[in-house]
Amino acid sequence: AALAWTDRLTQLDGNETTDAEYAAVNEYFQDKDLVDLTHAIAQINAWNRLGIAFAPQWQEPKHPATTETTTA
């Protein structure tokens, strides 16, 4: 149910969720749990869309941190 809900909320087809989709996920998640699940899905989707929009690429640091500590 959680994966089906995730797939549905991740789709950007412009349609709202159906009563049947809501009922299916509501069998397993109610109230705060459903809100928490939906919020987590929305957050992950937002981060994914930011990644798509800005296409960040990892670059090796110019000055890598050292693991040595100096004592005086």
Side-chain angles (χ1 to χ4, degrees), residues 1 3 8 14 16 19 23-25 28 31 40-41 44 51 61-62 68:
L3 292 177
R8 182 63 188 103
E16 297 176 355
D19 291 341
V25 74
Y28 300 94
D31 303 326
I41 294 165
I44 293 166
K62 293 179 182 177
E68 296 179 27

Side-chain angles (χ1 to χ4, degrees), residues 42-71:
Q43 284 290 53
I44 293 166
N45 284 336
W47 283 113
N48 287 337
R49 282 166 179 68
L50 286 170
I52 291 167
F54 296 105
Q57 295 180 2
W58 183 83
Q59 296 179 7
E60 189 170 343
K62 293 179 182 177
H63 303 287
T66 61
T67 57
E68 296 179 27
T69 58
T70 58
T71 56

Side-chain angles (χ1 to χ4, degrees), residues 26-45:
N26 202 39
E27 286 183 43
Y28 300 94
F29 299 93
Q30 295 86 33
D31 303 326
K32 184 177 181 328
D33 291 335
L34 183 55
V35 171
D36 290 345
L37 174 63
T38 303
H39 186 259
I41 294 165
Q43 284 290 53
I44 293 166
N45 284 336

